[in-house]
Amino acid sequence: MTRRFIEPMRDIGEALFQVQKPARYVGGECGATPPIGQEDSRLRIALSFPDLYEIGMSNNALRIIYSRLNERRDLLACERVFAPAPDFEQLLIQKKIPLYTLESGIPLSDTDLLAFTVGYELLATNMLAIMECGGVPFEATQRGEHDPIVMAGGPAITNPLPFARFLDAVWIGEAEAGFIDLMIKMAELKQRGADRRERLDLLAGHPSIWISPLLEESLALPHRKHVVRAIFQDFYKTEYVTRFPYPVLNPVHAHGSVEIMRGCPNGCRFCHAGYFYRPQRSKYPEIIKKEVEDLVSRGYREITLSSLSSGDYPGIVELFDDLNTAWSKHKVSFQLPSLKVDSFTLPLLEKISEVRKSGLTFAVETPLESWQCAINKRVPFEKIAAILHEAKGKGFRSAKFYFMVGLPLPERGMNEAQAIVDYIERIAQVERISIHVNVGAFIPKPHTPFEREAQLSEEEALDCIQYIRRSLKYRKNIEVSYHPPFLSVLEGIISRGDESVGEIIADGYLKGARLDAWDEYLNRDLWREVLASFNQRRGEGAWQSFLAQKDKGALLPWHEISLRVSPGWLQREKQKAQKSNLTSICNENCTERCGVCGNTNVVVSNNILNKVTFHAEALVPERHGGVFAFDVGRDDVEITEIKLIAVWSKKNSAVLYPLHDVARAFSRAFQVCGFQIAFTHGFNPQPRIELSPPLGLGIEGENEILLLWIDIPVNRLEEFEEFLSGSQGQILSSLNENLADGLCIQSLHISKHNDDKKRTIGASLRAAAWRYVFASEESYIRAAEILADHADDFVSVKNDRAAHEIVLIEIFSGASKKTLSFHKILKDRLAPEHHFRAERLECYGELDNEGYVRLQDIL
């Protein structure tokens, strides 16, 4: 039976205010696809990165797939869903409401496809929670004709067997290389009335789809011996202009992201991602510049140039220089993560130091040169020393070093720990800077040369880590952190386990495991009990066997999955590791074939420089959809700073947005519309913006005030004033189109006191008018009695018993005293059953003969 679509503010209501960060669950973001109607017959896809909203909204794969699928809105609707935090999960159970998509509120049980993109193994229990909360049986064999097909893809699921109980199918490889087309075919099947079995048949016929063996048995689906990874060879010449919602909560990684290279040339033998994304494909620089321009036009000021090894992008110094030349005067900065030391040049350091001097990161992995050769990742100490010396002179204050223990070396374990300590002691003598050391336990991953190696036990890894910490604790400038070895054990079990690991995942989930990658949610005792129970059922040492050395001839659980890297090549790489021999990097003239490249898949690296030249002067930022724009980046333009006053309101789901996220939303909207926002000065410049005092969760606001300082060329100030007064409707419409649901700018004008720096909201605010509307007469009477007890604290404006309404003015006592809040008094003294709605109506400045003056009139 089809369920009514969920409207969180209607169906959950005030109970939303009782959970942490309720804005995670209401949608309404700017840029989200329009909601669909309940009778809409298009294919419904619920797309999920199975973690909390702040993590999922940072995931680049989710952005790409969401955007690409929604290009075919004629056939399908792709909407988002994320993992509920435990408090919200319990609220859904209590209210008997299923988990739903954010755009339309579709219960997951009423979608056609639930698709997970899985970035790390510890998302396993979150996937089950999403299914069960959404009314979808998490056991694949229990799903019937009216249940969605449940799929997954991503780098953490190239061994699908541990998920065979839960997933119908797994996509192996890059989604752009066929998954989108497959979904279009499924949408066409739905239009023709195809049943669930026919849709599964469609999936089973694709060479990059793995079907759960349980379904092959129960539905007699054809079994294919080999599943081959899909590779999007055209990545290097494809422009990604993703249309993805702008988050209402600041995500963990809030930067815009431009993927400058897919794959990595280095062939580090421990790195699963390096094999999953082969071959290296470097994107044309002019396409990168267009993608950057698009991100800036959508409000991003910090942009990450992402890849597995950004320093190996050909011409990275020139590209970085071009982008800085074009955008630095517009307060846009660029970050380069994943810089391999061998590709970290001093000229590149020079460019990075122009925009970011907070710290450097070195993924050393293992300290000795012979060990580095064994893992095929050289990190010369002398080069790090030279970089640190140069960086200190350019203002860098700290450096972070990543290491692993338990690598497949004859000396693994405590010998590694001692070598790491010696290495950091040497580093500390190079330059006096803050040193952050992070240590993790090596996890042998499928489809790598080390896939058959043993993993350190939790106790062995912890002994190594604690030794490193004890040995370095006397140095005040060195801080040692670590990835918990227990988590590494869980990751190793899921990474290399067989179908019996599904028992461990299901048992952990049913006992309450959720969000296991989060320290505050991980329950180690629960998982230890689960692992002990598994051994009781399966025999002593059962789960430990997944971490143990695998025999050379033993069939591995993932043997039916091909990442296109030949088993013979992996074996040769393992032999070279044992002899500490290096393998040269991938390039167009490869002499050591791994099996990935062929007629259709090839390395794309240096040849991009032969086709496209760099021209910094040709890259001129242009506005996209802006209502008015000035070129304030030129040195020959005299700039003045003016203060704008915006009056705005906060309604509906916006009452759940935190103040700093509201400020971020307004700042972005003005930037997108072409306003050149002024910035503070100092080490970390911020947009000059000030809002009315924050409203508590669930409180509406009318006639709220926002101050925004913008830069204007002096010779165009008069032109701007005319535009602002003559095109108010157009300006407000453009701004509000770029705001999340519930935020609305009602008016915008230039301050009459532009030069008076003391006229800020904080300095001028003296009082505020409030309206309280109560759900019943009984609640109103009780509130009126409470107000009478505070007759000297508030200015009563109107008490309307018939409308159950109270309007009053709260006086701000100044910086030295706290302002008394009637809202807080009501929350403290009214019983929970007395519901009411609060709204701040107006903010006031100084008192004159007529009473309080509206704040907007004196700023």
Side-chain angles (χ1 to χ4, degrees):
M1 181 181 71
T2 301
R3 294 192 59 130
R4 183 177 72 164
F5 284 9
I6 307 301
E7 292 181 18
M9 299 298 287
R10 176 197 68 194
D11 298 326
I12 304 176
E14 290 190 2
L16 277 169
F17 307 147
Q18 308 306 316
V19 302
Q20 286 190 336
K21 298 185 179 181
R24 291 167 171 162
Y25 311 112
V26 294
E29 302 99 331
C30 176
T33 57
I36 66 171
Q38 189 139 336
E39 304 305 319
D40 196 301
S41 62
R42 285 175 288 180
L43 187 76
R44 299 173 179 178
I45 301 175
L47 182 63
S48 177
F49 187 90
D51 208 325
L52 295 179
Y53 179 95
E54 305 94 287
I55 299 291
M57 288 294 287
S58 303
N59 183 258
N60 201 43
L62 189 84
R63 294 171 181 165
I64 291 171
I65 298 169
Y66 179 93
S67 181
R68 286 298 179 91
L69 285 173
N70 280 313
E71 288 174 2
R72 293 306 309 268
R73 293 277 291 179
D74 57 317
L75 287 171
L76 57 83
C78 176
E79 305 193 352
R80 296 159 299 137
V81 64
F82 299 107
D87 58 353
F88 188 66
E89 181 182 344
Q90 289 305 309
L91 179 60
L92 292 176
I93 294 170
Q94 175 190 331
K95 294 272 187 181
K96 298 182 179 178
I97 293 173
L99 187 61
Y100 48 87
T101 61
L102 289 178
E103 283 77 0
S104 303
I106 308 171
L108 297 189
S109 57
D110 286 345
T111 62
D112 299 298
L113 183 81
L114 174 56
F116 296 105
T117 176
V118 187
Y120 37 91
E121 290 82 2
L122 295 180
L123 297 175
T125 56
N126 302 355
M127 295 162 66
L128 306 195
I130 289 171
M131 286 185 238
E132 194 166 44
C133 284
V136 180
F138 69 77
E139 298 274 6
T141 54
Q142 293 179 9
R143 293 195 279 270
E145 178 61 36
H146 300 293
D147 291 310
I149 291 172
V150 181
M151 287 187 67
I157 203 159
T158 56
N159 172 23
L161 273 185
F163 300 90
R165 284 180 62 172
F166 318 118
L167 300 176
D168 298 317
V170 172
W171 173 266
I172 303 293
E174 299 167 27
E176 306 100 316
F179 178 73
I180 311 301
D181 294 335
L182 196 60
M183 293 302 98
I184 292 170
K185 290 179 181 176
M186 186 176 286
E188 292 169 344
L189 276 182
K190 183 181 180 182
Q191 277 189 340
R192 297 199 293 268
D195 60 17
R196 193 173 190 271
R197 165 61 194 265
E198 290 176 87
R199 299 177 199 178
L200 285 168
D201 276 334
L202 171 70
L203 297 179
H206 196 285
S208 297
I209 290 280
W210 175 90
I211 296 291
S212 169
L214 301 179
L215 288 190
E216 290 177 344
E217 295 171 8
S218 62
L219 298 178
L221 292 171
H223 176 68
R224 188 172 55 255
K225 289 187 177 180
H226 291 288
V227 178
V228 181
R229 174 172 64 103
I231 301 173
F232 185 51
Q233 176 61 30
D234 287 345
F235 167 82
Y236 70 98
K237 60 182 179 182
T238 300
E239 182 179 353
Y240 286 78
V241 180
T242 55
R243 292 293 172 249
F244 190 72
Y246 194 85
V248 293
L249 288 177
N250 203 25
V252 171
H253 301 291
H255 296 180
S257 181
V258 174
E259 192 179 4
I260 64 174
M261 183 173 73
R262 189 169 291 181
C264 177
N266 294 301
C268 301
R269 294 177 180 130
F270 61 86
C271 180
H272 177 268
Y275 293 92
F276 182 76
Y277 288 109
R278 286 188 171 217
Q280 172 197 8
R281 288 146 287 162
S282 301
K283 185 169 288 184
Y284 285 147
E286 297 305 318
I287 293 178
I288 292 171
K289 294 172 185 178
K290 289 179 181 178
E291 291 184 20
V292 166
E293 187 176 3
D294 176 71
L295 286 174
V296 175
S297 76
R298 290 191 283 125
Y300 290 95
R301 291 195 189 90
E302 294 180 301
I303 296 174
T304 297
L305 305 179
S306 71
S307 78
L308 293 177
S309 182
S310 299
D312 287 301
Y313 179 88
I316 186 62
V317 174
E318 294 87 347
L319 175 65
F320 206 77
D321 193 34
D322 272 8
L323 293 172
N324 277 334
T325 299
W327 296 106
S328 62
K329 292 180 180 179
H330 297 264
K331 301 298 188 295
V332 177
S333 64
F334 299 90
Q335 288 76 40
L336 283 173
S338 307
L339 285 171
K340 185 170 176 280
V341 172
D342 267 359
S343 60
F344 200 136
T345 63
L346 294 182
L348 184 55
L349 178 67
E350 180 83 33
K351 298 303 176 186
I352 293 173
S353 68
E354 294 176 8
V355 295
R356 181 173 58 92
K357 299 180 183 177
S358 56
L360 297 169
T361 299
F362 301 101
V364 179
E365 316 301 0
T366 193
L368 301 187
E369 185 176 355
S370 62
W371 298 352
Q372 293 172 3
C373 291
I375 65 173
N376 206 44
K377 182 176 182 178
R378 287 192 71 249
V379 187
F381 180 89
E382 295 74 18
K383 185 156 188 179
I384 287 184
I387 291 170
L388 288 177
H389 180 72
E390 191 80 11
K392 180 70 180 294
K394 295 186 180 301
F396 287 85
R397 303 188 300 272
S398 65
K400 179 176 282 188
F401 292 83
Y402 284 93
F403 292 94
M404 288 188 285
V405 292
L407 285 161
L409 306 164
E411 307 90 340
R412 81 174 194 156
M414 291 303 295
N415 290 318
E416 290 176 290
Q418 183 61 59
I420 291 170
V421 170
D422 295 341
Y423 186 94
I424 292 299
E425 293 276 15
R426 289 179 66 196
I427 287 291
Q429 295 175 27
V430 173
E431 288 291 348
R432 183 69 182 178
I433 59 173
S434 295
I435 297 173
H436 304 273
V437 181
N438 184 275
V439 186
F442 166 67
I443 304 170
K445 290 295 181 80
H447 311 286
T448 70
F450 296 152
E451 62 184 359
R452 294 179 182 271
E453 300 294 341
Q455 181 174 333
L456 283 185
S457 69
E458 179 190 2
E459 295 75 19
E460 291 172 313
L462 201 55
D463 285 346
C464 293
I465 291 167
Q466 296 298 0
Y467 177 80
I468 295 169
R469 297 185 79 191
R470 287 195 307 271
S471 300
L472 294 173
K473 70 177 182 179
Y474 75 96
R475 285 191 173 270
K476 301 302 182 185
N477 64 321
I478 297 177
E479 177 186 338
V480 180
S481 60
Y482 62 95
H483 182 71
F486 182 73
L487 290 185
S488 299
V489 166
L490 289 181
E491 291 172 38
I493 291 170
I494 297 173
S495 175
R496 293 202 298 170
D498 57 25
E499 54 264 60
S500 69
V501 171
E503 293 179 28
I504 296 175
I505 296 171
D507 195 16
Y509 165 72
L510 292 171
K511 282 182 165 63
R514 305 287 191 279
L515 301 169
D516 300 303
W518 295 75
D519 286 342
E520 57 263 51
Y521 294 113
L522 176 67
N523 187 332
R524 287 176 172 79
D525 292 338
L526 180 156
W527 278 111
R528 294 189 199 283
E529 180 185 336
V530 167
L531 294 177
S533 297
F534 183 77
N535 277 4
Q536 288 175 1
R537 294 190 304 272
R538 294 275 178 168
E540 192 59 36
W543 67 261
Q544 290 90 341
S545 68
F546 301 126
L547 310 180
Q549 183 87 25
K550 311 298 179 190
D551 293 338
K552 181 178 178 180
L555 211 57
L556 298 172
W558 52 92
H559 73 277
E560 294 184 347
I561 307 296
S562 170
L563 297 194
R564 299 181 185 257
V565 179
S566 74
W569 192 85
L570 292 178
Q571 180 61 30
R572 290 193 296 275
E573 281 296 291
K574 180 180 176 181
Q575 293 167 354
K576 292 172 77 172
Q578 293 168 341
K579 298 175 182 177
S580 294
N581 290 340
L582 291 169
T583 296
S584 58
I585 66 169
C586 296
N587 57 54
E588 288 92 334
N589 302 313
C590 178
T591 58
E592 301 187 58
R593 298 283 180 178
C594 68
V596 171
C597 292
N599 295 330
T600 56
N601 302 309
V602 295
V603 170
V604 180
S605 178
N606 291 318
N607 62 5
I608 67 168
L609 299 180
N610 299 329
K611 297 183 179 181
V612 183
T613 55
F614 294 92
H615 295 292
E617 68 276 10
L619 184 67
V620 179
E622 298 176 2
R623 62 187 176 92
H624 285 246
V627 294
F628 198 78
F630 298 107
D631 184 2
V632 298
R634 289 170 45 193
D635 294 333
D636 59 344
V637 176
E638 184 183 356
I639 301 299
T640 187
E641 199 174 272
I642 65 171
K643 180 170 67 177
L644 299 181
I645 302 173
V647 179
W648 59 281
S649 62
K650 185 180 184 182
K651 308 281 186 182
N652 305 325
S653 56
V655 301
L656 304 175
Y657 306 162
L659 180 70
H660 64 276
D661 289 306
V662 171
R664 187 171 55 90
F666 281 124
S667 177
R668 172 188 176 271
F670 278 98
Q671 180 185 341
V672 169
C673 290
F675 291 84
Q676 303 292 340
I677 301 174
F679 278 71
T680 59
H681 301 287
F683 179 75
N684 186 25
Q686 296 295 319
R688 288 200 63 195
I689 186 170
E690 184 185 9
L691 275 72
S692 311
L695 293 167
L697 197 67
I699 299 175
E700 297 181 344
E702 186 71 36
N703 297 311
E704 295 291 298
I705 305 298
L706 176 151
L707 296 183
L708 179 78
W709 286 262
I710 66 170
D711 290 329
I712 293 286
V714 172
N715 62 358
R716 299 188 68 184
L717 180 56
E718 186 176 337
E719 177 187 353
F720 177 73
E721 291 173 347
E722 292 176 358
F723 175 75
L724 196 60
S725 61
S727 303
Q728 186 83 176
Q730 177 193 353
I731 295 170
L732 297 180
S733 176
S734 295
L735 287 169
N736 289 326
E737 283 175 6
N738 286 286
L739 289 171
D741 178 58
L743 296 177
C744 179
I745 298 177
Q746 298 159 343
S747 67
L748 181 68
H749 62 275
I750 300 174
S751 169
K752 298 174 184 176
H753 307 282
N754 188 61
D755 296 329
D756 189 344
K757 294 187 177 359
K758 294 183 179 179
R759 288 185 185 255
T760 62
I761 294 174
S764 305
L765 187 63
R766 295 291 179 270
W770 288 77
R771 175 193 290 127
Y772 295 90
V773 180
F774 299 88
S776 66
E777 185 173 16
E778 180 186 358
S779 300
Y780 165 82
I781 292 171
R782 179 70 186 117
E785 291 171 351
I786 294 172
L787 180 59
D789 294 340
H790 291 270
D792 296 333
D793 298 315
F794 304 106
V795 178
S796 184
V797 176
K798 182 180 72 171
N799 286 8
D800 188 336
R801 182 167 179 168
H804 305 158
E805 180 180 293
I806 292 175
V807 178
L808 55 81
I809 292 179
E810 293 182 356
I811 312 299
F812 284 78
S813 304
S816 62
K817 296 181 181 178
K818 267 192 170 181
T819 301
L820 203 60
S821 166
F822 188 56
H823 183 269
K824 186 178 186 308
I825 292 170
L826 289 178
K827 284 289 186 183
D828 291 341
R829 295 185 56 182
L830 275 183
E833 63 268 18
H834 294 300
H835 300 294
F836 65 92
R837 182 171 62 86
E839 180 182 16
R840 187 160 66 191
L841 299 175
E842 189 79 66
C843 292
Y844 298 108
E846 70 262 9
L847 186 68
D848 66 8
N849 295 333
E850 302 298 323
Y852 284 101
V853 180
R854 294 188 312 168
L855 192 59
Q856 59 181 294
D857 294 333
I858 66 171
L859 290 173

